[in-house]
């Protein structure tokens, strides 16, 4: 199943400059997702990180992976969006075994590959990796919590 930017925005509350997923190219509800982030020199973080040698911050690569996981988590088995961003929040609560293998620079296309390890109605754990040109550039185990706003 593929999801375009409109479907992504239906599943995530994030907007510019924090929306870090451009397209979903593959998703198996309950199992895995593959999404794309096109990295351009127009990203606001490149202004200060670093002006003469732009590098995407590792924490934002992890955030992109978490957003891909959220898209996956808020899609039912029929492919429909299930998140109401006015009443539900999705928080990144844990990052384990994070490794950054090479810099991500303008012009790279991040392939965000996330596989579910454990999913419940309140807590989800994933194996996640970011790939550029067939090479793993970052990987981590991430944990996210689903909470009703106001809890």
């Amino acid at each position: 199943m593929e999801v375009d930017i409109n479907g992504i925005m239906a599943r995530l509350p994030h907007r510019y400059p924090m929306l870090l997923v451009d397209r979903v190219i593959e998703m198996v509800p309950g199992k895995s997702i593959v999404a794309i982030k096109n990295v351009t020199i127009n990203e606001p973080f490149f202004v200060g990180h670093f002006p003469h040698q732009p590098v995407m911050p590792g924490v934002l690569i992890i955030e992109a992976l978490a957003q891909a996981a959220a898209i996956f988590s808020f899609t039912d088995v029929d492919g429909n969006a299930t998140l109401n961003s006015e009443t539900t929040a999705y928080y990144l609560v844990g990052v384990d075994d994070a490794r950054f293998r090479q810099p991500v620079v303008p012009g790279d296309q991040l392939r965000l590959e996330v596989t579910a390890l454990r999913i419940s109605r309140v807590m989800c754990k994933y194996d996640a990796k970011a790939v550029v040109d067939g090479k793993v550039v970052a990987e981590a185990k991430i944990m996210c919590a689903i909470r009703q706003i106001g809890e």
Side-chain angles (χ1 to χ4, degrees):
M1 158 193 335
E2 293 188 18
V3 181
D4 65 11
I5 193 64
N6 293 317
I8 290 167
M9 291 181 6
R11 289 165 174 80
L12 293 179
H14 303 77
R15 296 298 181 263
Y16 177 85
M18 283 306 298
L19 181 57
L20 299 174
V21 178
D22 295 323
R23 184 168 44 109
V24 173
I25 59 173
E26 187 179 310
M27 183 168 26
V28 179
K31 295 192 185 324
S32 63
I33 185 170
V34 178
I36 298 295
K37 166 61 179 156
N38 294 303
V39 181
T40 75
I41 192 61
N42 295 319
E43 308 288 349
F45 49 80
F46 284 137
V47 174
H49 199 267
F50 300 99
H52 301 293
Q53 188 169 357
V55 175
M56 184 174 185
V59 69
L60 292 180
I61 298 170
I62 298 294
E63 173 65 21
L65 289 164
Q67 287 182 22
I71 294 166
F72 165 78
S73 296
F74 293 116
T75 302
D76 67 18
V77 293
D78 296 320
N80 301 309
T82 61
L83 170 69
N84 179 344
S85 62
E86 293 180 16
T87 60
T88 309
Y90 191 77
Y91 297 108
L92 178 63
V93 297
V95 178
D96 293 319
D97 303 321
R99 297 288 179 265
F100 301 95
R101 309 270 181 220
Q102 73 181 48
V104 174
V105 298
D108 284 346
Q109 184 179 70
L110 277 178
R111 180 181 166 99
L112 308 165
E113 301 176 0
V114 180
T115 303
L117 298 175
R118 185 182 64 216
I119 298 176
S120 76
R121 290 189 308 196
V122 296
M123 194 71 66
C124 305
K125 188 167 185 178
Y126 308 94
D127 185 41
K129 63 182 174 179
V131 177
V132 173
D133 295 330
K135 296 178 187 165
V136 175
V137 297
E139 58 190 327
K141 300 261 190 287
I142 58 176
M143 191 174 333
C144 300
I146 301 167
R147 298 283 186 264
Q148 295 305 306
I149 293 175
E151 277 186 7

